[in-house]
Amino acid sequence: DGGITQSPKYLFRKEGQNVTLSCEQNLNHDAMYWYRQDPGQGLRLIYYSQIVNDFQKGDIAEGYSVSREKKESFPLTVTSAQKNPTAFYLCASTRQGLNTGELFFGEGSRLTVL
Amino acid sequence: DAKTTQPNSMESNEEEPVHLPCNHSTISGTDYIHWYRQLPSQGPEYVIHGLTSNVNNRMASLAIAEDRKSSTLILHRATLRDAAVYYCILRDVGNQFYFGTGTSLTVIP
């Protein structure tokens, strides 16, 4: 079945370490997104990409980095510069175009910094 | 500034209709109105979307005000499985989705 796969589902990290969260989609979507969610809060946009080899910062990009070398993949690296990385991270994708329907989400990755 | 505002929480009795309101007074003419819902520790799930006309699907109905500055998600008969956080979101021409803080819906048996 088509969908978005995020891994790992749970991740523990020591302070000062970088960690990469994987996001893969087989929906042939051009646009992909990374969101961060803190407990009891809504979703905040970290980075997004509308096309391969191009991406833009969202509202809270500091301390994060991404790449988009393949259409199917949009990994997110949480760097040691991110001051408070413990959160629930969600990857999403959609087709390009104004009325092309919904945003598809992965199941999320929960990162805990020890 | 948030592009959408929603009540923090609402309650409904099981089997009764639920009307979840959303204000989006700064909506532009090309923004689509989307609704998603999220269960704990899961990714949000698409519910419905529209531009100007009211929309119906198997999950819900979307009523859009004539001036498009507000909308209402209607669940016709709430079930316990409908308990979730509901997000009203605007999608703009740049494929940006603007999330608010959502409404936490409690369904009372």
Side-chain angles (χ1 to χ4, degrees):
Chain A
D1 287 347
I4 298 180
T5 301
Q6 289 187 240
S7 63
K9 192 171 177 67
Y10 298 96
L11 185 61
F12 297 89
R13 186 194 95 176
K14 292 182 180 180
E15 281 191 26
Q17 289 181 336
N18 292 354
V19 62
T20 298
L21 307 179
S22 170
C23 177
E24 303 278 332
Q25 53 97 0
N26 60 2
L27 300 165
N28 200 33
H29 286 169
D30 288 302
M32 297 187 73
Y33 306 78
W34 274 105
Y35 291 93
R36 168 181 172 142
Q37 188 173 36
D38 293 286
Q41 303 296 314
L43 280 67
R44 292 185 291 168
L45 182 65
I46 304 172
Y47 268 98
Y48 64 101
S49 170
Q50 309 245 30
I51 194 170
V52 173
N53 291 323
D54 188 45
F55 48 83
Q56 288 78 41
K57 293 181 179 180
D59 300 322
I60 56 166
E62 185 175 351
Y64 300 97
S65 66
V66 293
S67 63
R68 188 84 187 276
E69 297 176 1
K70 299 186 298 182
K71 188 175 185 178
E72 317 82 67
S73 179
F74 191 40
L76 173 74
T77 297
V78 185
T79 75
S80 57
Q82 169 50 235
K83 298 305 179 189
N84 185 20
T86 294
F88 188 49
Y89 291 89
L90 287 158
C91 180
S93 72
T94 189
R95 288 180 289 165
Q96 289 282 32
L98 190 56
N99 188 24
T100 51
E102 69 214 71
L103 195 58
F104 288 80
F105 282 89
E107 289 296 308
S109 293
R110 188 169 298 280
L111 172 64
T112 302
V113 173
L114 305 172
Chain B
D1 291 342
K3 290 201 170 191
T4 65
T5 55
Q6 302 174 250
N8 287 335
S9 61
M10 291 185 64
E11 287 186 351
S12 173
N13 293 321
E14 196 176 9
E15 303 292 321
E16 290 186 356
V18 184
H19 288 67
L20 298 167
C22 179
N23 288 321
H24 28 79
S25 57
T26 59
I27 191 170
S28 73
T30 52
D31 288 348
Y32 276 77
I33 302 159
H34 283 234
W35 283 81
Y36 292 75
R37 68 182 186 184
Q38 185 180 25
L39 297 172
S41 297
Q42 294 187 20
E45 171 191 35
Y46 168 80
V47 177
I48 201 167
H49 78 284
L51 181 62
T52 57
S53 302
N54 294 345
V55 184
N56 300 297
N57 66 20
R58 63 176 179 80
M59 292 180 71
S61 295
L62 175 60
I64 301 172
E66 194 168 339
D67 63 7
R68 298 207 331 122
K69 293 185 177 182
S70 65
S71 62
T72 302
L73 179 70
I74 303 165
L75 307 179
H76 296 286
R77 289 177 66 215
T79 70
L80 296 179
R81 287 175 296 190
D82 291 324
V85 177
Y86 286 80
Y87 293 100
C88 169
I89 298 153
L90 299 184
R91 176 178 183 168
D92 70 12
V93 293
N95 282 324
Q96 286 307 296
F97 294 80
Y98 298 93
F99 283 78
T101 53
T103 296
S104 179
L105 176 65
T106 301
V107 179
I108 302 168

